Amino acid sequence: MTAVLVVAGAMVGAPLRYLTDRAVRSRYDGPFPWGTLLVNVAGCLILGGLTGAGSALPAPMLALLGTGFCGALTTYSTFSFETLRLVEQKAYFSAVVNIVVSVAAGLGGAYAGFALVQAFVA
């Protein structure tokens, strides 16, 4: 049953990632991967919140939302590919900014989600 929940979450997360990236690219055309940054930070925020909920959420809900939805929504491989693409285009500053902002905002989002849920659960 857990595998079915993971697949169900991924069936929502993956298309949402794609559609979000396309919507962002249609508004902000350029080399910087704003769409990937947005979905990765959003996924970190959600996953931080789920982690903050801890045992208040049943394991099936964590499989559906955490592993399935957030796992498919976020994308380390695309982040890596787009950063290497920026390097290939000699957009070194953008590549470094992408790395630093993605890591910092991802960690910040996870912490913010965790702290926000902890404030209500505790």
Side-chain angles (χ1 to χ4, degrees), residues 1-98:
M1 183 60 175
T2 301
V4 172
L5 291 171
V6 171
V7 170
M11 288 174 62
V12 175
L16 184 59
R17 172 178 40 129
Y18 175 79
L19 294 172
T20 301
D21 184 58
R22 291 294 157 222
V24 170
R25 284 182 191 261
S26 72
R27 290 178 177 245
Y28 301 102
D29 190 28
F32 195 83
W34 291 108
T36 300
L37 177 64
L38 177 64
V39 295
N40 284 345
V41 173
C44 288
L45 179 70
I46 295 166
L47 196 53
L50 293 171
T51 303
S55 60
L57 286 179
M61 184 70 72
L62 290 174
L64 174 73
L65 298 175
T67 305
F69 178 75
C70 288
L73 178 68
T74 61
T75 173
Y76 187 78
S77 58
T78 303
F79 158 71
S80 300
F81 169 77
E82 290 174 341
T83 302
L84 288 175
R85 190 186 62 191
L86 289 169
V87 170
E88 288 174 349
Q89 296 170 351
K90 299 189 183 339
Y92 302 116
F93 180 75
S94 293
V96 171
V97 167
N98 188 38

